[in-house]
Amino acid sequence: MRLLVCGGAGFIGSNFVRQRVDEHGDEVVVLDKLTYAGRRENLAGVAHTFVHGAIEDPDQVAGAIEGVQAVVNFAAETHVDRSIAAPDAFVRTHAQGTYVLLEAARAAGVRYLQVSTDEVYGSIAEGSFTETSPLAPSSPYSATKAGADLLVSSYFHTFDLPTLICRGSNNYGPYQYPEKLIPLMVLNAIHGDRLPVYGDGMQVRNWLFVEDFARAIGHVLAHGRPGEAYNVGGPDECANLDVVRRIIELTGGAESLIEYVADRPGHDRRYSLGSEKVGALGWAARVGFGEGLERTVAWYRDNAPWWEPIRSGDYRAYYERQYGRALGAGGVSGS
Ligand code: NAD
Ligand code: DAU
């Protein structure tokens, strides 16, 4: 199959492209704007055609979509903290970008899969969200993702475009940009930098290994029913503080590196997805959190050439703005 994968140079997109090429022999065209989170290095060694462009640019999209059988859209601004600091790019990419892609898929008459998130449902104290739970997003990130989901569904209802939506829970694994909890804590622990825990650290996330999510997306693309949304939740949930403690154990860091910092505004307390619907299509997670976290820590430890340019580049300024301290300053070495 020939696929257009938008946002394929990011974390989940690059894992998906690698899986499709290596395990399914697909031909893949990657369209990616290469924001701070998109990197050609993420696709090193993976055969693909690369188009440097934005999903909100109709001309770039029209060129990239030629001859493909399906579009899978990962392209997004994905960090909740950045959506609080500067929401404009989130609105542009999620609203205008999704619209441009849907129009192009409609003109080409091809299947369209939107990669979405559990965050569109908001927070849940107990139990798990199903696909019929109301959308109640909390942040500019999740609100614009929810808007994109609604636009996707409208193209099914109004134009008969064969659309699918895959809503994943928190992903982790190789190639994740170190602004997100797990890679940030792993790299900080390795370097003896402080480990900034928001609020009381008791927020709960439903962890999903990236290869499992990538496989679910391929599975839904092949077997999903047009017009439907599918939740893809991880097998395990864990409070942030426990995640950080497990990382400290795996890296040999010091517990005294933990630093409680101001909470994220509007912070969702708990996410949880029921995956029965995608399970009925034949998908199940293969990697539990214990194994996945060990593999992730080992990957970051073994791939310094991947993260060194990030930690020595613009990321330093981001980090200082976000955490009010320079990276590499104020660590508690060896204590
Ligand atoms: P990421 O930030 O690592 O990658 C996003 C990619 O999209 C980057 O390559 C970036 O350059 C590209 N991009 C951004 N704006 C673009 C634009 N306007 N045009 C073209 N390319 C653009 O993100 P990720 O964590 O891999 O997430 C991928 C998708 O999965 C997103 O839609 C996200 O909402 C969703 N998702 C993420 C998670 C998670 O835990 N990371 C969980 C569920 C769903
Ligand atoms: O749930 C799926 C979502 O998971 C995706 O849609 C988003 O794109 C992705 O960024 C992620 O969102 P979260 O906000 O859950 O992930 P993040 O890694 O930013 O934070 C995870 C938890 O850890 C959250 O409760 C906030 C907390 N946290 C995060 C950072 C970066 C900290 O305590 N300290 C930190 O420094």
Side-chain angles (χ1 to χ4, degrees):
M1 173 150 62
R2 187 172 162 91
L3 290 176
L4 172 59
V5 180
C6 304
F11 163 50
I12 309 174
S14 62
N15 277 282
F16 175 78
V17 172
R18 183 170 292 103
Q19 202 175 80
R20 295 311 303 183
V21 171
D22 291 353
E23 295 173 25
H24 301 267
D26 286 344
E27 261 180 59
V28 176
V29 179
V30 170
L31 173 68
D32 199 296
K33 193 174 179 175
L34 298 180
T35 66
Y36 72 94
R39 300 176 77 212
R40 296 294 310 269
E41 296 91 315
N42 293 355
L43 289 165
V46 183
H48 66 284
T49 303
F50 187 78
V51 180
H52 185 192
I55 59 168
E56 62 272 21
D57 179 336
D59 296 334
Q60 295 273 14
V61 170
I65 206 170
E66 256 179 51
V68 308
Q69 276 99 48
V71 176
V72 181
N73 182 28
F74 292 90
E77 293 290 335
T78 59
H79 193 35
V80 173
D81 293 327
R82 291 186 195 250
S83 85
I84 295 166
D88 53 344
F90 291 73
V91 176
R92 193 177 320 115
T93 293
H94 303 171
Q96 185 69 15
T98 303
Y99 157 71
V100 168
L101 282 182
L102 286 165
E103 278 296 317
R106 188 179 155 212
V110 298
R111 189 170 264 235
Y112 178 95
L113 189 148
Q114 177 80 355
V115 180
S116 184
T117 167
D118 57 2
E119 298 199 16
V120 297
Y121 298 115
S123 192
I124 188 166
E126 284 173 11
S128 300
F129 289 118
T130 70
E131 290 78 359
T132 56
S133 300
L135 302 191
S138 317
S139 68
Y141 163 68
S142 52
T144 51
K145 288 294 288 183
D149 283 11
L150 295 176
L151 194 62
V152 170
S153 297
S154 81
Y155 271 65
F156 171 74
H157 290 292
T158 309
F159 303 116
D160 281 332
L161 182 71
T163 62
L164 295 154
I165 298 174
C166 253
R167 297 190 178 124
S169 60
N170 278 66
N171 276 231
Y172 68 104
Y175 301 100
Q176 187 168 31
Y177 194 82
E179 63 190 349
K180 308 284 164 58
L181 179 75
I182 288 182
L184 183 143
M185 295 296 174
V186 171
L187 293 183
N188 280 19
I190 287 173
H191 289 86
D193 281 322
R194 298 261 184 191
L195 308 177
V197 170
Y198 296 167
D200 63 2
M202 295 315 288
Q203 304 83 4
V204 171
R205 297 294 184 261
N206 181 190
W207 293 102
L208 174 64
F209 193 61
V210 64
E211 289 170 12
D212 276 336
F213 190 37
R215 208 161 34 76
I217 292 165
H219 204 78
V220 168
L221 185 65
H223 306 291
R225 204 165 124 217
E228 298 288 315
Y230 294 86
N231 290 345
V232 184
D236 301 299
E237 55 179 57
C238 194
N240 293 339
L241 199 52
D242 293 335
V243 173
V244 174
R245 291 202 170 115
R246 289 165 87 147
I247 289 171
I248 288 173
E249 253 175 56
L250 289 167
T251 52
E255 178 96 13
S256 54
L257 289 176
I258 293 177
E259 179 175 49
Y260 292 92
V261 300
D263 208 351
R264 172 185 281 174
H267 200 169
D268 284 333
R269 197 73 182 160
R270 176 174 176 265
Y271 298 134
S272 178
L273 288 180
S275 306
E276 288 77 12
K277 190 170 168 183
V278 70
L281 292 183
W283 175 88
R286 292 180 185 164
V287 182
F289 190 53
E291 178 196 336
L293 194 60
E294 270 184 40
R295 282 172 62 180
T296 303
V297 170
W299 188 86
Y300 281 92
R301 195 183 273 127
D302 295 345
N303 285 278
W306 183 86
W307 51 255
E308 268 164 355
I310 297 175
R311 274 187 59 106
S312 58
D314 296 346
Y315 176 74
R316 300 187 75 79
Y318 157 77
Y319 194 92
E320 203 164 335
R321 270 197 314 275
Q322 178 64 24
Y323 297 101
R325 71 161 70 229
L327 202 59
V332 188
S333 58
S335 56

